[in-house]
């Protein structure tokens, strides 16, 4: 049964585009400085009525207008921007002081047209952020004026590093060494294209791939817009539709919102239990993990346990029960990963325990760093719970006694926490030799691969990569570690790269197949935005060391290429998955194409 792009889906995606891109002059039609490749011919400058008024007289102070502007900002812009720090896009603290109101209005109206017409400021922004904002001719002059009036009201000085004098000199280029080419080339075979769930990029937000082992091995892949597919050969068949199961389910504004992750219980064929995470609107229900009322709630992430009536059925039917609900300050860095340890055997302490990656929800860059720097808060953590237990505070799941904070002497610490200190722990996997690997999408300087250790502290928001970050100052800046750092007991990544190389790490897996010897033992991963493919040797991943990252080329249909060219998009949204028989897959949300590694060669 194919997924149909209904008018409702088109409307939702249209809203998502507005949310991701309306202030693209400062950031993002998509996460981490990237966007759609656009030609001059496809976006001529619109002949619209321009707002010809000076910056000083244009901005309105009427309370009703400002309220409308705030609503437009919170609905359309706040996922990417704030007035304190660079988020997914730069902060807007000086947007109206650095640009005229006429220019801002024109840019919002048709950014591609402004840029391709040769506007110097527009070209500068495109070179910096490597993306176009789509044109928004549907916004009225009144809408834009209200929005910009609200932004103007919130102009302030950008964060400084006056609080960082004790940290020493800021690092100009924290990682000067470039990632080397490995000389290896992946030969990829295009397998299929996922059904489009929108009529504009990203066409299919295909995300996590997982094999369900058992009496019949099955392969699944989910689309964040709400569909869990079973992949049979080259066909994707709908197994579960989150929009039908949960009326409160929302997919806007993208940015990982929607159907975040899923995990089959290791005894699924016996008990029929499946776990999912998804987003809902703020205040849809009381949260199990909340914060002071003075801090805005932008979205809620919900963990659900589903019981399938017939585990072997082609399509899901059954019931679900909510296990956990978490408030988030913004729409970014939610609950993007849940998983079971595939190495745990029946009867072992870790068997049947669910790991949950909880991001900081954008709290740090919005000025609420105190929500994510303690084991007394759920944010910025990897949790481990027992779905079959009931000793949690809400009585809906269990806290394993083996958890590092479950038996400590501090009643305020959360026993659910396995380890903490991440900005966005978006992927978790295990290597065949027993290492737990956690990828963490960074802020401005480091994209991390970490080894998961019970009770470990990975540093966010005080650390990024192997550097100090000042969460009370300018968070784009990092500093060398202090002399007393060993006594602070932070755990550092075993491999990381900086934003000279990419913008957001896409977690991968160790190749365990036997068909391609050149890839044996390599942890293959990449960058979400530019689609570059990297690897590190699993044998070199060790605490206290930095493993060498190397880049691999890709070849498709006999031609050396890259994912930006294949998807015709600056932001590829590259993901990795392991399928049946240890087949290794790479796929891109931009176009929904799914590729399989056919072989690997040494390039000339």
């Amino acid at each position: 049964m194919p997924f149909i792009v209904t008018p409702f889906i088109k409307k939702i995606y249209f809203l998502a585009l507005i949310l991701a891109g309306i202030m693209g002059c400062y950031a993002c039609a998509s996460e981490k400085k990237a966007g759609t490749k656009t030609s001059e011919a496809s976006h001529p400058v619109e002949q619209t009525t321009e707002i010809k008024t000076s910056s000083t007289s244009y901005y309105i102070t009427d309370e009703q207008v400002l309220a409308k502007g705030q609503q437009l900002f919170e609905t359309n812009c706040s996922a990417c921007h704030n007035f304190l720090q660079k988020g997914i896009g730069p902060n807007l603290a000086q947007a109206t002081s650095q640009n005229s109101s006429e220019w801002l209005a024109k840019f919002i109206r048709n950014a591609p047209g402004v840029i391709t017409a040769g506007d110097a400021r527009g070209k500068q922004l495109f070179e910096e952020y490597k993306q176009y904002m789509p044109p928004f001719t549907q916004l009225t002059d009144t809408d834009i004026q209200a929005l910009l009036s609200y932004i103007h009201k919130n102009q302030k000085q950008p964060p400084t590093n006056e609080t960082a004098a004790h940290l020493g000199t800021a690092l100009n280029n924290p990682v000067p060494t470039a990632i080397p080419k490995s000389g290896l080339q992946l030969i990829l075979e295009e397998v299929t294209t996922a059904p489009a769930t929108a009529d504009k990029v990203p066409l299919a937000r295909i995300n996590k791939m997982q094999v369900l082992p058992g009496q019949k091995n099955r392969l699944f892949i989910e689309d964040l817009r709400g569909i869990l597919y079973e992949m049979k050969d080259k066909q994707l068949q709908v197994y579960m539709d989150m929009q039908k199961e949960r009326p409160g389910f929302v997919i806007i504004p993208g940015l990982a919102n929607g159907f975040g992750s899923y995990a089959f219980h290791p005894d699924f064929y016996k008990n029929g239990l499946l776990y999912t995470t998804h987003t809902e609107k703020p205040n849809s229900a009381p949260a199990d993990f909340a914060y002071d009322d003075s801090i805005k709630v932008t979205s809620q992430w919900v963990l659900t346990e589903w019981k399938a009536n017939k585990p072997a059925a082609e399509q899901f039917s059954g019931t679900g029960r909510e296990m956990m609900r978490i408030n988030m300050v913004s729409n970014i860095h939610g609950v993007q990963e849940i998983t079971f340890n595939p190495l745990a055997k029946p009867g072992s302490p870790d068997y049947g325990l669910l790991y949950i990656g909880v991001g900081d929800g954008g709290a740090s860059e919005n000025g609420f760093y105190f929500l994510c720097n303690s084991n007394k808060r759920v944010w910025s953590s990897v949790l481990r719970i027992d779905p079959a237990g009931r000793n949690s505070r809400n009585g809906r799941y269990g806290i394993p006694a083996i958890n590092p904070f479950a038996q400590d002497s501090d009643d305020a610490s959360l026993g659910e926490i396995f380890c903490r200190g991440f900005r966005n722990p978006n992927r978790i996997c295990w290597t065949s030799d027993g290492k737990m690997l956690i990828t963490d999408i960074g802020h401005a300087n480091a994209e991390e691969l970490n080894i998961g250790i019970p009770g470990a502290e990975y540093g966010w928001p005080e650390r990024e990569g192997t550097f100090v970050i000042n969460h009370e100052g300018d968070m784009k800046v990092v500093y060398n570690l202090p002399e007393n750092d060993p006594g602070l007991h932070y755990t550092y990544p075993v491999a990381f790269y900086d934003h000279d190389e990419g913008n957001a790490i896409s977690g991968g897996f160790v190749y365990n197949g036997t068909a391609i010897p050149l890839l044996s033992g390599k942890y293959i991963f990449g960058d979400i935005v530019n689609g570059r493919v990297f690897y590190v040797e699993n044998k070199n991943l060790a605490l206290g060391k930095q493993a060498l990252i190397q880049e691999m080329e890709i070849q498709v249909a006999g031609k050396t290429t890259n994912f930006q060219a294949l998807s015709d998009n600056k932001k590829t949204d590259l993901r990795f998955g392991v399928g049946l028989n240890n087949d290794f897959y790479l796929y891109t949300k931009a176009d929904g194409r799914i590729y399989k590694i056919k072989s690997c060669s040494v390039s000339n």
Side-chain angles (χ1 to χ4, degrees):
M1 173 180 170
F3 183 76
I4 304 299
V5 181
T6 64
F8 172 77
I9 289 294
K10 290 183 179 180
K11 180 179 180 182
I12 289 297
Y13 185 70
F14 173 73
L15 290 173
L17 280 178
I18 294 177
L19 183 56
I22 184 130
M23 292 309 296
C25 50
Y26 298 99
C28 49
S30 54
E31 185 157 347
K32 298 284 188 176
K33 305 180 183 177
T36 307
K37 181 179 178 181
T38 311
S39 67
E40 181 174 357
S42 64
H43 289 288
V45 178
E46 299 285 343
Q47 298 301 314
T48 58
T49 301
E50 296 183 1
I51 304 170
K52 297 187 180 298
T53 137
S54 69
S55 293
T56 55
S57 62
Y58 174 67
Y59 302 113
I60 298 173
T61 58
D62 179 81
E63 291 299 322
Q64 288 186 336
V65 173
L66 292 173
K68 178 181 179 181
Q70 181 176 2
Q71 182 181 24
L72 287 167
F73 182 85
E74 291 178 352
T75 303
N76 299 326
C77 312
S78 60
C80 298
H81 307 277
N82 59 68
F83 301 103
L84 295 173
Q85 299 283 351
K86 172 183 176 180
I88 290 177
N91 79 69
L92 304 180
Q94 294 186 309
T96 62
S97 60
Q98 293 178 343
N99 304 278
S100 71
S101 58
E102 181 179 1
W103 186 90
L104 288 169
K106 183 188 296 184
F107 201 88
I108 293 171
R109 179 84 65 205
N110 184 13
V114 171
I115 295 169
T116 56
D119 179 84
R121 174 63 171 158
K123 290 174 65 177
Q124 176 188 348
L125 289 164
F126 178 76
E127 289 301 317
E128 182 176 358
Y129 294 103
K130 304 295 189 298
Q131 59 93 36
Y132 288 102
M133 181 184 78
F136 292 101
T137 55
Q138 77 286 347
L139 291 177
T140 68
D141 291 352
T142 302
D143 288 340
I144 294 176
Q145 189 173 25
L147 176 62
L148 289 176
S149 295
Y150 173 74
I151 291 172
H152 183 69
K153 177 189 175 184
N154 285 276
Q155 296 302 277
K156 59 188 70 175
Q157 291 298 315
T160 66
N161 281 308
E162 294 178 359
T163 60
H166 65 289
L167 299 178
T169 303
L171 301 178
N172 182 43
N173 186 7
V175 187
T177 304
I179 293 177
K181 300 282 188 179
S182 66
L184 297 180
Q185 187 172 76
L186 297 178
I187 314 301
L188 303 182
E189 172 189 15
E190 186 172 346
V191 176
T192 190
T193 299
T197 49
D199 56 3
K200 294 182 181 180
V201 173
L203 297 179
R205 296 178 67 204
I206 47 177
N207 191 40
K208 178 179 178 178
M209 177 181 285
Q210 180 182 352
V211 172
L212 170 62
Q215 59 195 52
K216 177 186 177 184
N217 290 344
R218 302 166 68 181
L219 180 60
F220 290 82
I221 187 170
E222 126 263 21
D223 185 308
L224 272 76
R225 294 190 180 103
I227 305 299
L228 179 58
Y229 298 102
E230 181 175 358
M231 186 171 173
K232 296 184 176 182
D233 296 323
K234 298 183 178 182
Q235 301 296 318
L236 271 63
Q237 299 180 10
V238 175
Y239 175 75
M240 185 183 202
D241 185 342
M242 189 65 73
Q243 293 196 56
K244 293 180 180 178
E245 299 292 341
R246 284 290 179 263
F249 171 74
V250 295
I251 63 173
I252 57 174
L255 309 172
N257 273 22
F259 187 175
S261 187
Y262 68 98
F264 291 96
H265 192 281
D267 292 325
F268 175 78
Y269 276 115
K270 295 180 181 178
N271 59 28
L273 297 180
L274 164 68
Y275 300 86
T276 66
T277 66
H278 73 276
T279 47
E280 295 187 5
K281 294 179 180 180
N283 305 315
S284 295
D288 300 295
F289 296 100
Y291 36 76
D292 293 341
D293 293 343
S294 59
I295 303 173
K296 180 187 174 184
V297 177
T298 300
S299 65
Q300 292 185 323
W301 277 88
V302 182
L303 173 68
T304 304
E305 178 185 77
W306 304 89
K307 185 169 181 59
N309 296 328
K310 297 180 180 180
E314 296 286 309
Q315 289 186 321
F316 173 82
S317 66
T319 57
R321 69 176 184 94
E322 183 174 315
M323 300 175 68
M324 181 187 300
R325 183 175 291 256
I326 305 174
N327 284 344
M328 294 290 173
V329 172
S330 75
N331 283 307
I332 58 176
H333 313 159
V335 186
Q336 298 179 16
E337 176 70 301
I338 55 175
T339 187
F340 292 92
N341 180 356
L343 303 181
K345 303 299 181 183
S348 67
D350 210 27
Y351 189 75
L353 302 185
L354 183 66
Y355 290 81
I356 307 165
V358 182
D360 76 346
S364 296
E365 59 210 45
N366 280 279
F368 308 114
Y369 63 87
F370 51 85
L371 294 181
C372 47
N373 67 347
S374 166
N375 67 0
K376 298 173 176 58
R377 303 273 194 172
V378 73
W379 298 275
S380 294
S381 301
V382 172
L383 313 181
R384 181 171 62 179
I385 67 170
D386 179 5
R390 294 295 183 270
N391 66 332
S392 62
R393 293 176 185 176
N394 67 6
R396 298 173 185 168
Y397 58 87
I399 298 175
I402 60 172
N403 278 7
F405 303 109
Q407 305 294 332
D408 66 8
S409 57
D410 188 349
D411 292 338
S413 64
L414 293 181
E416 291 93 334
I417 293 177
F418 176 80
C419 59
R420 65 155 321 279
F422 304 100
R423 181 173 183 257
N424 184 6
N426 71 322
R427 281 292 174 269
I428 302 171
C429 74
W430 279 262
T431 65
S432 59
D433 58 355
K435 291 191 288 287
M436 177 187 183
L437 300 182
I438 306 169
T439 51
D440 188 17
I441 294 179
H443 182 66
N445 287 282
E447 302 300 318
E448 300 180 4
L449 175 64
N450 297 276
I451 293 179
I453 303 295
E457 165 61 66
Y458 294 83
W460 181 259
E462 285 85 21
R463 298 291 187 271
E464 184 176 17
T466 55
F467 309 109
V468 173
I469 187 171
N470 179 21
H471 55 67
E472 295 181 287
D474 187 347
M475 294 176 65
K476 298 191 302 295
V477 180
V478 292
Y479 305 84
N480 282 320
L481 298 176
E483 291 183 1
N484 67 337
D485 190 70
L488 302 178
H489 304 294
Y490 287 112
T491 299
Y492 290 104
V494 293
F496 75 94
Y497 63 91
D498 70 359
H499 285 196
D500 293 339
E501 308 289 352
N503 299 99
I505 190 169
S506 183
F509 304 89
V510 174
Y511 179 78
N512 291 318
T514 59
I516 311 175
L518 279 175
L519 299 182
S520 180
K522 289 178 170 55
Y523 175 80
I524 303 171
F525 66 108
D527 190 78
I528 289 173
V529 178
N530 60 32
R532 293 172 67 185
V533 181
F534 308 127
Y535 77 86
V536 292
E537 297 288 353
N538 177 44
K539 64 182 179 181
N540 294 333
L541 297 177
L543 293 174
K545 300 179 180 179
Q546 288 294 309
L548 175 67
I549 299 174
Q550 299 184 70
E551 183 175 8
M552 290 190 280
E553 294 181 333
I554 64 170
Q555 182 188 120
V556 178
K559 295 182 180 180
T560 299
T561 184
N562 60 68
F563 281 111
Q564 287 183 328
L566 288 169
S567 64
D568 193 28
N569 202 280
K570 290 288 186 181
K571 184 183 181 186
T572 66
D573 258 325
L574 177 65
R575 297 294 190 274
F576 298 82
V578 175
L580 303 175
N581 304 312
N582 285 313
D583 288 338
F584 207 107
Y585 290 86
L586 297 84
Y587 40 98
T588 46
K589 293 181 187 178
D591 53 9
R593 294 180 183 176
I594 301 174
Y595 304 85
K596 182 171 69 174
I597 300 178
K598 187 177 180 180
S599 62
C600 181
S601 65
V602 179
S603 58
N604 296 326

